[in-house]
């Protein structure tokens, strides 16, 4: 064996060992504590708010139309742009391949627990994004910033500052676009350039990764204004084309929908489809994939909503609340129905985006795979743009505004790494860091929940007085 081959084997064994550690850590941290924190905490917010996701949905939609926008308020972007940027990061591959992963790992019942997690997630986002406006801070350059780290600093005090550091360190790693790069590369290869050998596969992944890195660089190096502007234009287009495509499949199998919905509900409480009766495992898979999909409780949305030109914390919270509904209740459900109705989850060994691709090929022969590829391309790129802002903001807090600019270059390089890495390792790394981020964010939100409740009472009393 040559010296070169020996080094290659050692490098591969080290990478394999690191991958096993990442997967084990992710599976360990996504146990009962994080489940209690996200679902239990979200349920507390749901009840504590007086079931606000149900009662104030109409008011939230009217706010989204810009009726109360104030261009003179502090901040860098409008509330609509903030929601678009937040949705650009959440309505993405988590809805396409994340749902497929949920069905693979937890069966149809996992979708029900994704729905439950989404409704409590709406309440969570209401609280966390209201706090992002309520407790804004300034970075080392004197620019107004929002997000869990500033909420902890200004709402909880310096003795809790270690939570801010934990959140930001996990954010620098967990908010890399490695999952998006991995799955976009997989679908492009599957649709356009299915390789003949492993060498071709690896070569193509490197090429696609470098192209993605270049496209992302043109947007993210322009800062939050350019990211928000591009996202606000891409989001309606990407959601529209995906809706249209999935609805074709759903209408084709419309007679089977009641059977599939029954399967989702029955399996949610039996877990028999995949997990052999392990209902707890089905719940964990559903909550885990919902957190990955809509990010409620993770703390990403407060970072972008904290930049909104809004002096009313409750208004921002109400607008942010719409994110999990659009993301999980609407988009994820459509994806799940496409996969279930075509029954590819029972008959294929594909995972992630390839499972969804199989559903589209059966549901819409010939052109289905190309429509999905376009959706995946726009979804993945929009998410890549927004994630860069989140990671940049965490770097800004940790290292100062003057050094944070270097994060973007690190971020761009990791897009190429994500394109060639293993799906299981990529998903586990992101999942693990999401869980670490959730702890500081949810602790701060639970600690400061009475402040949001008081502000909510004041806001709605003023709204009632104005309407008289």
């Amino acid at each position: 064996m040559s010296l070169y081959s020996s080094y290659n084997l050692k490098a591969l064994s080290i990478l394999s060992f690191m991958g096993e550690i990442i997967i084990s850590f992710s599976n360990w941290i996504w146990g009962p504590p994080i489940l209690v924190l996200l679902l239990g905490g979200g349920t507390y917010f749901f009840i504590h708010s007086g079931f606000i996701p149900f009662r104030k949905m109409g008011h939230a939609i009217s706010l989204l139309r810009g009726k109360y926008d104030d261009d003179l308020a502090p901040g860098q972007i409008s509330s609509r742009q903030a929601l678009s940027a937040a949705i650009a990061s959440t309505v993405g591959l988590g809805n396409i391949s994340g749902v497929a992963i949920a069905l693979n790992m937890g069966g149809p019942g996992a979708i029900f627990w994704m729905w439950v997690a989404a409704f409590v997630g709406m309440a969570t986002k209401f609280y966390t994004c209201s706090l992002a406006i309520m407790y804004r801070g300034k970075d080392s350059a004197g620019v107004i910033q929002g997000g869990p780290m500033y909420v902890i600093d200004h709402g909880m005090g310096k003795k809790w500052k270690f939570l801010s550091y934990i959140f930001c360190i996990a954010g620098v790693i967990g908010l890399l676009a490695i999952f998006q790069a991995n799955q976009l590369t997989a679908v492009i290869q599957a649709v356009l350039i299915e390789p003949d050998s492993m060498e071709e596969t690896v070569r193509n992944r490197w090429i696609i990764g470098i192209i993605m890195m270049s496209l992302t660089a043109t947007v993210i190096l322009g800062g939050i204004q350019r990211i928000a502007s591009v996202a606000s234009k891409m989001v309606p287009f990407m959601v529209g084309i995906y809706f249209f495509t999935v609805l074709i499949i759903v209408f084709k199998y419309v007679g089977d929908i009641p059977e599939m919905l029954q399967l989702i509900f029955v399996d949610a409480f039996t877990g028999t489809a995949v997990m052999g009766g392990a209902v707890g495992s089905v719940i964990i898979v559903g909550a885990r994939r919902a957190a990955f999909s809509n990010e409620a409780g993770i703390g990403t949305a407060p970072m972008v909503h904290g930049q909104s030109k809004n002096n009313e914390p409750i208004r921002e919270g109400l607008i942010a609340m719409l994110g999990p509904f659009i993301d999980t209740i609407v988009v994820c459900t459509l994806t799940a129905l496409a996969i279930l109705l075509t029954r590819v989850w029972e008959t294929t060994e594909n995972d992630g985006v390839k499972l969804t691709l199989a559903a589209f090929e059966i549901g819409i022969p010939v052109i289905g795979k190309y429509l999905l590829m376009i959706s995946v391309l726009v979804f993945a790129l929009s998410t890549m743009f927004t994630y860069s802002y989140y990671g940049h903001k965490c770097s800004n807090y940790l290292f100062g505004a003057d050094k944070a600019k270097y994060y973007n270059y690190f971020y761009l390089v990791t897009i190429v790494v994500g394109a060639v890495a293993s799906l299981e390792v990529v998903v586990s790394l992101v999942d693990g860091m999401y869980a670490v981020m959730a702890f500081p964010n949810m602790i701060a939100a639970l600690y400061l929940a009475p402040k949001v409740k008081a502000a909510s009472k004041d806001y709605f009393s003023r709204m009632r007085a104005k309407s008289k």
Side-chain angles (χ1 to χ4, degrees):
M1 183 184 290
S2 68
L3 187 62
Y4 178 75
S5 298
S6 177
Y7 278 132
N8 267 351
L9 284 173
K10 284 181 181 177
L12 286 171
S13 64
I14 291 169
L15 288 173
S16 177
F17 178 68
M18 288 174 63
E20 288 174 11
I21 290 174
I22 290 168
I23 293 165
S24 298
F25 172 75
S26 180
N27 290 334
W28 169 77
I29 200 167
W30 274 97
I34 192 67
L35 196 67
V36 170
L37 188 68
L38 289 177
L39 289 183
T43 303
Y44 170 77
F45 293 139
F46 193 73
I47 297 167
H48 188 256
S49 68
F51 307 101
I52 203 163
F54 292 143
R55 293 191 302 109
K56 299 298 181 182
M57 182 78 80
H59 185 62
I61 292 169
S62 68
L63 289 171
L64 189 60
R65 292 178 184 145
K67 184 177 178 181
Y68 301 99
D69 281 1
D70 180 4
D71 290 334
L72 299 178
Q76 298 181 50
I77 55 178
S78 70
S79 294
R80 189 190 297 105
Q81 285 179 319
L83 182 65
S84 292
I87 289 175
S89 70
T90 57
V91 176
L93 287 173
N95 306 86
I96 298 176
S97 54
V99 173
I101 292 168
L103 286 167
N104 255 344
M105 294 174 65
I111 304 303
F112 174 83
W113 295 109
M114 286 184 74
W115 293 339
V116 172
F119 275 111
V120 299
M122 289 175 72
T124 300
K125 277 207 176 175
F126 169 70
Y127 275 75
T128 56
C129 293
S130 294
L131 288 168
I133 296 292
M134 202 177 293
Y135 295 105
R136 289 202 264 206
K138 290 185 177 179
D139 62 19
S140 60
V143 177
I144 289 177
Q145 300 284 358
M149 53 285 222
Y150 297 99
V151 171
I152 292 165
D153 281 4
H154 298 282
M156 299 176 71
K158 293 192 181 297
K159 66 180 179 179
W160 295 94
K161 197 175 181 71
F162 71 96
L163 290 176
S164 298
Y165 288 125
I166 291 172
F167 176 85
C168 289
I169 291 167
V172 165
I173 303 168
L175 295 169
L176 296 171
I178 50 177
F179 175 76
Q180 288 71 27
N182 182 285
Q183 292 292 273
L184 179 54
T185 302
V187 78
I188 289 174
Q189 288 211 117
V191 174
L192 294 181
I193 45 174
E194 190 67 60
D196 296 322
S197 65
M198 181 57 69
E199 288 78 11
E200 281 186 34
T201 299
V202 174
R203 183 200 65 197
N204 292 345
R205 282 180 169 271
W206 279 100
I207 293 169
I208 295 166
I210 291 167
I211 293 170
M212 284 190 291
M213 179 184 73
S214 304
L215 287 171
T216 306
T218 61
V219 175
I220 71 170
L221 297 179
I224 183 59
Q225 285 90 352
R226 186 184 296 175
I227 293 168
S229 174
V230 172
S232 63
K233 293 177 177 67
M234 289 178 77
V235 166
F237 169 76
M238 74 182 188
V239 172
I241 193 170
Y242 190 67
F243 262 41
F244 174 74
T245 308
V246 177
L247 285 173
I248 291 174
I249 299 172
V250 170
F251 281 123
K252 184 176 179 180
Y253 297 92
V254 68
D256 296 333
I257 291 177
E259 180 191 346
M260 291 303 114
L261 291 175
Q262 182 183 8
L263 181 62
I264 289 171
F265 282 101
V266 171
D267 192 54
F269 298 98
T270 61
T272 53
V274 172
M275 306 303 296
V279 177
S281 298
V282 176
I283 296 171
I284 288 172
V285 169
R288 189 169 170 173
R289 298 274 57 84
F292 181 82
S293 175
N294 65 49
E295 297 167 27
I298 305 303
T300 51
M303 285 194 275
V304 69
H305 281 283
Q307 298 307 110
S308 177
K309 293 179 180 177
N310 201 337
N311 280 321
E312 290 280 6
I314 300 305
R315 280 182 187 161
E316 198 63 35
L318 288 167
I319 290 169
M321 181 181 79
L322 296 171
F325 183 85
I326 296 167
D327 175 272
T328 307
I329 303 299
V330 179
V331 184
C332 284
T333 300
L334 287 173
T335 303
L337 284 174
I339 293 170
L340 291 170
L341 289 168
T342 55
R343 301 185 188 274
V344 293
W345 69 284
E346 295 176 315
T347 57
T348 179
E349 293 181 359
N350 287 325
D351 61 356
V353 72
K354 289 185 178 179
L355 182 61
T356 314
L357 182 64
F360 274 61
E361 286 184 297
I362 291 173
I364 311 175
V366 184
I367 65 166
K369 63 181 181 180
Y370 297 106
L371 291 171
L372 180 66
M373 189 191 70
I374 293 169
S375 297
V376 168
L377 179 64
V378 181
F379 276 39
L381 288 174
S382 67
T383 304
M384 287 179 188
F385 301 155
T386 312
Y387 268 30
S388 70
Y389 172 69
Y390 294 152
H392 180 274
K393 197 156 185 171
C394 290
S395 297
N396 187 339
Y397 183 87
L398 290 171
F399 307 114
D402 56 330
K403 296 182 182 66
K405 61 185 178 183
Y406 298 113
Y407 172 82
N408 281 338
Y409 301 105
F410 167 68
Y411 179 88
L412 289 168
V413 169
T414 61
I415 288 174
V416 182
V417 175
V420 299
S422 150
L423 172 60
E424 188 178 14
V425 172
V426 163
V427 170
S428 296
L429 178 61
V430 174
D431 277 355
M433 291 301 102
Y434 268 24
V436 174
M437 291 167 67
F439 279 100
N441 181 53
M442 289 297 287
I443 289 168
L446 289 164
Y447 183 91
L448 296 167
K451 301 285 187 183
V452 178
K453 181 76 169 179
S456 182
K457 284 182 178 178
D458 173 66
Y459 172 76
F460 287 115
S461 66
R462 285 188 283 115
M463 288 295 100
R464 285 191 295 270
K466 277 185 180 180
S467 64
K468 288 180 181 177

